[in-house]
């Protein structure tokens, strides 16, 4: 654990994280936390929460939100609990494997159709298709088995009520796989590509969808993170926790 909590969202949130070299929250977590705005009273679930960065950041930005943080690693789940207390957020932490059978997930406390909003950053890689990190925790956070993405989205869908919203972030080249996993489960799918620089290919996609909707998909204007002088104004606002100047 970091000896002093890191400042997140311009200091709106403080986070104890694993030591450097392990999986730590950064820009991906910021973008995901800012993707969807919970309505008052909506129930939020951060699936694959790690230290709780996404769910706690969303709650810090929208006071009154009481997130549920789902994490299978006991050490990270412990940090998520500590971070919730540190920031005065009434979060519940469920230790559960998202890829476990439905009965096991339910026994751990993941009730079907129980939340209004799910935010998730699935592992980015499939076992055997990339070079894993030498750090065990980082490798585990970034990798899951064949068909893992479909199983992950299925688990997110199970906990989400009909009409509820899913928000996720993934590698840009994983967009087809994400859409395949959401097919038949979500409509009104909105896709926003994320570029490191305006002239470079997208590196991430932000995807939002509505469970059970039949609305048409939409492709939103790109989000560019860096310009000649550093962060673009939009990216800077996102990282500071300022209102998102949406395009």
């Amino acid at each position: 654990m970091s000896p002093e909590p890191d400042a997140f969202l311009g200091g709106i949130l403080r986070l104890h994280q694993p030591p450097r070299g392990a999986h730590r929250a950064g820009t991906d977590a910021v973008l995901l936390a800012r993707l969807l705005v919970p309505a008052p009273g909506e129930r939020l679930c951060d699936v694959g929460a790690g230290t709780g960065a996404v769910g706690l950041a969303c709650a810090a930005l929208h006071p009154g939100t009481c997130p549920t943080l789902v994490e299978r690693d006991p050490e990270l789940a412990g940090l998520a609990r500590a971070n919730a207390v540190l920031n005065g957020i009434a979060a519940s932490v469920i230790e559960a494997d998202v890829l476990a059978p439905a009965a096991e997930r339910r026994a751990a406390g993941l009730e079907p159709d129980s939340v209004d909003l799910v935010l998730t950053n699935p592992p980015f890689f499939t076992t055997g298709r990339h070079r894993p990190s030498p750090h065990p925790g980082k490798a585990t956070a970034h990798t899951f088995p064949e068909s893992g993405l479909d199983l992950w989205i299925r688990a997110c869908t199970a906990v989400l009520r009909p009409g509820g919203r899913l928000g996720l972030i993934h590698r840009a080249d994983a967009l087809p796989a994400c859409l395949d996993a959401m097919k038949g489960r979500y409509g009104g799918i909105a896709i926003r590509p994320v570029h490191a620089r305006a002239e470079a290919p997208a590196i991430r996609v932000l995807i939002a969808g509505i469970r059970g909707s039949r609305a048409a998909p939409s492709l939103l204007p790109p989000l560019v993170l860096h310009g000649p002088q550093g962060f673009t104004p939009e990216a800077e606002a996102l990282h500071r926790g300022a209102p998102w100047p949406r395009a």
Side-chain angles (χ1 to χ4, degrees):
M1 181 172 70
S2 50
E4 293 294 331
D6 297 330
F8 207 66
L9 292 176
I12 293 173
L13 186 73
R14 294 174 297 157
L15 285 176
H16 284 296
Q17 300 205 67
R20 297 196 180 279
H23 179 69
R24 295 166 62 86
T27 291
D28 285 357
V30 170
L31 299 183
L32 182 57
R34 314 271 337 242
L35 178 59
L36 298 174
V37 177
E42 280 196 324
R43 298 157 295 177
L44 165 67
C45 186
D46 177 0
V47 174
T51 60
V54 171
L56 295 176
C58 193
L61 289 164
H62 306 287
T65 302
C66 301
T68 297
L69 312 175
V70 182
E71 174 53 48
R72 71 176 182 178
D73 184 290
E75 183 176 350
L76 293 179
L79 284 175
R81 291 189 185 93
N83 286 332
V85 172
L86 176 65
N87 290 278
I89 295 172
S92 61
V93 178
I94 294 177
E95 292 186 30
D97 184 349
V98 179
L99 302 183
E104 290 185 25
R105 298 198 308 269
R106 186 165 188 167
L110 284 174
E111 293 292 334
D113 305 333
S114 60
V115 303
D116 305 289
L117 183 64
V118 168
L119 295 173
T120 188
N121 183 353
F124 276 3
F125 302 104
T126 300
T127 302
R129 295 190 182 181
H130 79 114
R131 179 179 294 177
S133 168
H135 192 287
K138 196 169 187 177
T140 300
H142 288 178
T143 308
F144 55 13
E146 194 73 39
S147 76
L149 181 59
D150 185 75
L151 293 172
W152 189 282
I153 297 299
R154 184 182 303 175
C156 290
T157 306
V159 75
L160 193 63
R161 67 166 176 80
R165 296 176 292 159
L166 171 71
L168 68 93
I169 188 169
H170 214 301
R171 302 185 333 267
D173 65 318
L175 176 59
C178 291
L179 295 179
D180 281 347
M182 296 175 73
K183 186 177 181 180
R185 297 169 178 154
Y186 294 89
I189 294 174
I191 304 161
R192 189 172 194 196
V194 180
H195 300 251
R197 297 187 180 277
E199 68 277 10
I203 55 172
R204 298 284 187 269
V205 282
L206 291 162
I207 307 173
I210 302 169
R211 183 184 172 188
S213 171
R214 302 181 70 175
S218 58
L219 181 62
L220 303 180
L223 167 62
V224 178
L225 297 177
H226 300 282
Q229 305 302 321
F231 275 139
T232 62
E234 185 174 13
E236 178 68 26
L238 294 175
H239 283 83
R240 288 200 323 267
W244 188 332
R246 296 175 184 268

